[in-house]
Amino acid sequence: MTIAAGLPVATRRSSDLSKHSAEVFAEAEDHPVTVTRRDGEALVLMSQREAEGRARLLNFAAQLITVTLDDRGSLAERMSKAFPWMLALSPADRESCAQDLVDAARASFSTDQPHLAIAELTSWKETATAVAAGLSGGGAGLEWLDDDETVERP
Protein backbone atom coordinates (compact mmCIF):
# COMPACT_ATOMS: atom_id res chain seq x y z
CA MET A 1 0.00 0.00 0.00
CA THR A 2 1.19 3.50 -0.71
CA ILE A 3 0.93 6.53 1.46
CA ALA A 4 -1.98 8.64 0.28
CA ALA A 5 -1.51 12.31 -0.51
CA GLY A 6 -2.16 14.57 2.45
CA LEU A 7 -1.33 12.01 5.13
CA PRO A 8 1.56 12.75 7.44
CA VAL A 9 4.74 11.10 6.22
CA ALA A 10 7.30 10.89 8.99
CA THR A 11 10.89 9.92 8.38
CA ARG A 12 13.30 9.72 11.27
CA ARG A 13 16.92 8.69 11.53
CA SER A 14 17.75 5.69 13.69
CA SER A 15 19.66 8.03 16.00
CA ASP A 16 16.38 9.90 16.68
CA LEU A 17 14.92 6.65 17.94
CA SER A 18 17.64 6.34 20.58
CA LYS A 19 17.94 10.06 21.43
CA HIS A 20 14.26 11.05 21.29
CA SER A 21 12.45 7.73 21.67
CA ALA A 22 9.40 9.14 23.48
CA GLU A 23 8.84 11.68 20.69
CA VAL A 24 9.23 9.06 17.94
CA PHE A 25 6.94 6.59 19.73
CA ALA A 26 4.30 9.28 20.23
CA GLU A 27 4.46 10.09 16.52
CA ALA A 28 4.11 6.40 15.64
CA GLU A 29 0.88 6.31 17.66
CA ASP A 30 -0.65 8.72 15.12
CA HIS A 31 0.82 7.35 11.89
CA PRO A 32 3.59 5.06 10.65
CA VAL A 33 7.11 6.43 10.99
CA THR A 34 9.90 5.39 8.62
CA VAL A 35 13.20 4.94 10.44
CA THR A 36 16.18 5.25 8.10
CA ARG A 37 19.45 3.47 8.82
CA ARG A 38 22.89 3.89 7.32
CA ASP A 39 23.72 0.21 7.64
CA GLY A 40 20.49 -1.34 6.41
CA GLU A 41 17.07 -1.05 4.91
CA ALA A 42 14.65 1.49 6.38
CA LEU A 43 12.17 0.19 8.97
CA VAL A 44 8.61 1.28 9.63
CA LEU A 45 7.39 1.85 13.18
CA MET A 46 3.63 1.77 13.69
CA SER A 47 1.07 1.00 16.35
CA GLN A 48 -0.36 -2.49 16.81
CA ARG A 49 -3.77 -1.05 15.87
CA GLU A 50 -2.37 0.24 12.56
CA ALA A 51 -0.66 -3.09 11.78
CA GLU A 52 -3.80 -5.08 12.60
CA GLY A 53 -5.95 -2.73 10.49
CA ARG A 54 -3.67 -3.23 7.51
CA ALA A 55 -3.66 -7.00 8.01
CA ARG A 56 -7.47 -7.07 8.21
CA LEU A 57 -7.71 -4.96 5.06
CA LEU A 58 -5.38 -7.31 3.18
CA ASN A 59 -7.42 -10.30 4.36
CA PHE A 60 -10.59 -8.57 3.19
CA ALA A 61 -8.91 -7.79 -0.15
CA ALA A 62 -8.00 -11.46 -0.59
CA GLN A 63 -11.63 -12.43 0.00
CA LEU A 64 -12.84 -9.80 -2.49
CA ILE A 65 -10.38 -11.02 -5.12
CA THR A 66 -11.63 -14.57 -4.64
CA VAL A 67 -15.21 -13.34 -5.07
CA THR A 68 -14.42 -11.43 -8.26
CA LEU A 69 -12.61 -14.39 -9.85
CA ASP A 70 -15.75 -16.52 -9.55
CA ASP A 71 -18.09 -15.76 -12.45
CA ARG A 72 -21.10 -17.80 -11.28
CA GLY A 73 -24.01 -15.79 -9.91
CA SER A 74 -24.44 -12.17 -8.96
CA LEU A 75 -21.97 -10.23 -6.86
CA ALA A 76 -24.21 -10.65 -3.81
CA GLU A 77 -24.45 -14.42 -4.33
CA ARG A 78 -20.70 -14.76 -4.69
CA MET A 79 -20.04 -12.57 -1.66
CA SER A 80 -22.50 -14.63 0.39
CA LYS A 81 -20.21 -17.61 -0.19
CA ALA A 82 -17.21 -15.69 1.17
CA PHE A 83 -19.23 -14.05 3.95
CA PRO A 84 -21.93 -16.56 5.00
CA TRP A 85 -23.37 -14.14 7.55
CA MET A 86 -24.80 -12.21 4.56
CA LEU A 87 -27.38 -14.99 4.17
CA ALA A 88 -29.20 -13.57 7.20
CA LEU A 89 -29.92 -10.42 5.18
CA SER A 90 -32.80 -10.02 2.75
CA PRO A 91 -31.91 -10.39 -0.94
CA ALA A 92 -32.16 -6.60 -1.41
CA ASP A 93 -29.94 -5.98 1.61
CA ARG A 94 -27.42 -8.53 0.31
CA GLU A 95 -27.17 -6.53 -2.92
CA SER A 96 -26.71 -3.29 -0.98
CA CYS A 97 -24.19 -4.91 1.35
CA ALA A 98 -22.13 -6.32 -1.53
CA GLN A 99 -21.95 -2.96 -3.31
CA ASP A 100 -21.25 -1.05 -0.08
CA LEU A 101 -18.39 -3.41 0.80
CA VAL A 102 -16.81 -3.07 -2.65
CA ASP A 103 -17.14 0.73 -2.52
CA ALA A 104 -15.66 0.90 0.99
CA ALA A 105 -12.77 -1.34 -0.05
CA ARG A 106 -12.01 0.90 -3.02
CA ALA A 107 -12.06 3.95 -0.74
CA SER A 108 -9.79 2.21 1.78
CA PHE A 109 -7.24 1.20 -0.83
CA SER A 110 -7.19 4.57 -2.54
CA THR A 111 -6.75 6.52 0.71
CA ASP A 112 -4.69 3.99 2.69
CA GLN A 113 -7.33 4.10 5.42
CA PRO A 114 -8.12 0.49 6.43
CA HIS A 115 -10.82 1.57 8.89
CA LEU A 116 -13.19 2.59 6.07
CA ALA A 117 -13.62 -0.95 4.74
CA ILE A 118 -13.35 -2.62 8.14
CA ALA A 119 -16.04 -0.34 9.62
CA GLU A 120 -18.38 -1.09 6.70
CA LEU A 121 -17.72 -4.82 6.99
CA THR A 122 -18.30 -4.75 10.76
CA SER A 123 -21.46 -2.67 10.39
CA TRP A 124 -23.03 -5.04 7.87
CA LYS A 125 -21.98 -8.11 9.85
CA GLU A 126 -23.53 -6.68 13.03
CA THR A 127 -26.71 -5.90 11.09
CA ALA A 128 -26.86 -9.48 9.81
CA THR A 129 -26.28 -10.77 13.34
CA ALA A 130 -29.13 -8.61 14.65
CA VAL A 131 -31.46 -9.81 11.87
CA ALA A 132 -30.51 -13.43 12.58
CA ALA A 133 -31.31 -12.83 16.26
CA GLY A 134 -34.81 -11.74 15.30
CA LEU A 135 -34.39 -8.00 15.41
CA SER A 136 -36.02 -6.42 12.41
CA GLY A 137 -37.65 -3.12 11.64
CA GLY A 138 -41.16 -4.58 11.54
CA GLY A 139 -41.56 -7.00 14.41
CA ALA A 140 -39.19 -5.86 17.13
CA GLY A 141 -40.58 -2.37 17.62
CA LEU A 142 -37.50 -0.69 16.24
CA GLU A 143 -37.80 2.85 15.02
CA TRP A 144 -35.35 3.88 12.28
CA LEU A 145 -34.34 7.52 12.29
CA ASP A 146 -33.89 9.63 9.18
CA ASP A 147 -30.30 10.64 8.51
CA ASP A 148 -31.09 14.33 8.83
CA GLU A 149 -33.06 14.00 12.07
CA THR A 150 -31.19 15.48 15.04
CA VAL A 151 -31.16 13.40 18.19
CA GLU A 152 -30.27 14.95 21.54
CA ARG A 153 -27.36 13.56 23.46
CA PRO A 154 -28.57 11.29 26.31
Side-chain angles (χ1 to χ4, degrees):
M1 286 184 265
T2 61
I3 302 294
L7 292 179
V9 178
T11 302
R12 298 295 199 121
R13 295 183 310 265
S14 59
S15 60
D16 291 339
L17 193 54
S18 61
K19 293 177 186 174
H20 310 287
S21 60
E23 184 181 315
V24 175
F25 289 146
E27 198 170 351
E29 286 285 326
D30 294 332
H31 50 81
V33 175
T34 301
V35 179
T36 59
R37 304 180 307 160
R38 280 185 272 160
D39 61 344
E41 188 175 355
L43 302 173
V44 177
L45 181 64
M46 68 178 70
S47 68
Q48 181 76 28
R49 174 185 34 72
E50 179 81 22
E52 288 173 356
R54 289 171 183 245
R56 289 182 71 191
L57 183 60
L58 285 175
N59 183 36
F60 181 51
Q63 290 172 306
L64 283 180
I65 290 169
T66 301
V67 165
T68 59
L69 292 176
D70 184 2
D71 60 355
R72 292 165 288 167
S74 68
L75 176 63
E77 291 168 342
R78 297 187 319 257
M79 286 188 75
S80 294
K81 291 177 189 172
F83 306 106
W85 50 262
M86 286 179 64
L87 295 171
L89 300 171
S90 70
D93 283 346
R94 273 183 242 150
E95 293 290 333
S96 295
C97 174
Q99 191 59 56
D100 288 352
L101 291 176
V102 168
D103 292 344
R106 292 178 68 205
S108 281
F109 292 128
S110 65
T111 62
D112 196 34
Q113 298 293 312
H115 69 277
L116 299 174
I118 300 306
E120 193 71 29
L121 180 67
T122 302
S123 176
W124 273 108
K125 187 175 182 179
E126 292 297 325
T127 299
T129 301
V131 169
L135 299 175
S136 65
L142 297 177
E143 180 183 341
W144 295 101
L145 302 175
D146 293 330
D147 289 341
D148 56 355
E149 186 174 337
T150 304
V151 179
E152 291 184 34
R153 187 179 179 125

